[in-house]
């Protein structure tokens, strides 16, 4: 009896250690995929695959929420080569779920993971029937969340019935939050790129002369009007020192104003500036300090 109990204890410790190693590998793999992926559509297939392979699930799917149509659509499906679930994949890709309908819809509606130990024991609909016909048994669905908003759902399926695992549910919860944060960060980056593109388009065509310089007085940006005043093209100016572009005499004329704005004080002045190439010009100038660096 003592030997049996010892053997069981050792087996339990080994099993728990194996599960812990699985979870650590999963978290590291997901973090690495997100760090290397430019968009969620690049990350999603890799994440569902590594998640299923690491934790012994044979099938996985990712669903995206469509706010305009108020339903979920499948955007990614993965299965291990060892199983044939072609019909289940077809019906999954064709399915749409409203909040509360089916496993994905229930997860979307509640915002909480749902674990089904054996899908053969629940009410059968077309997708569930197809899953059982092709040998799937256990199912897990969990939300991809941004704060309290569910922005997607991930599913995993197993060929064997599986009892709920509290620790694994905690891990998939953190993965769902990671994915939500990743999606929001990419949305914010895209919005910033669009905003910068719009601003650049406006500044390029405005007749007002615009320029931006670094603290060492190298040009970071000039619009077309500024470049034309100097009889140059923008690409001939950007990256070069101000004194090289406008000339030493012009720089000495505006030096007091430049030194003042570098202290963080806005400056406005009218001055006759002897510009290189084009001669003296009377300019009305406004300098604004760049507080971002």
């Amino acid at each position: 009896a003592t030997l049996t109990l010892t053997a069981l204890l050792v087996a339990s410790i080994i099993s728990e250690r194996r599960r812990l190693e699985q979870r650590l590998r999963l978290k590291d793999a997901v973090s690495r995929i997100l760090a290397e992926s430019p968009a969620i559509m690049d990350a999603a297939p890799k994440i569902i695959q590594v998640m299923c392979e690491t934790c012994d699930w044979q099938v996985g799917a990712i669903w995206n929420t469509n706010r305009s149509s108020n339903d979920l659509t499948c955007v990614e499906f993965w299965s291990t080569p060892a199983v044939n679930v072609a019909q289940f994949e077809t019906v999954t890709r064709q399915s749409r779920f409203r909040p509360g309908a089916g496993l994905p819809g229930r997860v979307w509606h509640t915002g909480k993971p749902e674990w089904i130990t054996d899908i053969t024991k629940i009410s059968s609909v077309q997708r569930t029937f197809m899953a059982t016909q092709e040998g799937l048994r256990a199912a897990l669905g969990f939300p991809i969340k941004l704060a309290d908003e569910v922005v997607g759902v991930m599913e995993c399926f197993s060929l064997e019935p599986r009892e709920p695992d509290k620790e694994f549910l905690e891990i998939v919860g953190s993965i769902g939050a990671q994915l939500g944060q990743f999606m929001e960060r990419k949305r914010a980056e895209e919005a910033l790129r669009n905003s910068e593109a719009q601003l650049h388009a406006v500044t390029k065509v405005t007749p007002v002369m615009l320029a931006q310089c670094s603290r060492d007085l190298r040009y970071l940006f000039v619009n077309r009007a500024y470049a034309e005043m100097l009889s140059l093209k923008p690409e001939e100016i950007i990256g070069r020192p101000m004194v090289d572009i406008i000339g030493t005499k012009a720089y000495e004329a505006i030096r007091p104003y430049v030194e003042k704005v570098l202290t963080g004080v806005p400056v406005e002045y009218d001055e006759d500036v002897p510009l290189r190439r084009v001669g003296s010009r009377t300019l009305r100038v406004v300098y604004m300090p760049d507080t971002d660096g």
Side-chain angles (χ1 to χ4, degrees), residues 245-256:
I245 297 299
I246 66 174
T248 302
K249 290 183 179 180
Y251 180 72
E252 289 302 321
I254 67 171
R255 180 199 289 270

Side-chain angles (χ1 to χ4, degrees), residues 185-226:
R185 185 169 68 252
K186 294 301 178 182
R187 287 176 185 173
E189 290 173 357
E190 181 65 23
L192 179 60
R193 282 193 295 269
N194 292 338
S195 176
E196 289 176 342
Q198 292 170 357
L199 179 61
H200 187 65
V202 171
T203 56
K204 279 180 65 177
V205 300
T206 181
V208 177
M209 294 177 289
L210 301 172
Q212 181 184 22
C213 292
S214 62
R215 289 194 63 84
D216 62 357
L217 301 182
R218 288 182 178 272
Y219 286 100
L220 301 175
F221 166 81
V222 298
N223 71 342
R224 189 163 55 196
Y226 189 96

Side-chain angles (χ1 to χ4, degrees), residues 76-111:
E76 192 61 46
F77 187 96
W78 178 87
S79 63
T80 180
V83 302
N84 181 8
V85 289
Q87 294 184 67
F88 179 66
E89 177 178 356
T90 298
V91 73
T92 295
R93 290 189 181 276
Q94 293 174 349
S95 295
R96 289 177 177 268
F97 289 105
R98 297 278 186 179
L103 176 58
R106 291 194 299 273
V107 172
W108 182 16
H109 178 67
T110 64

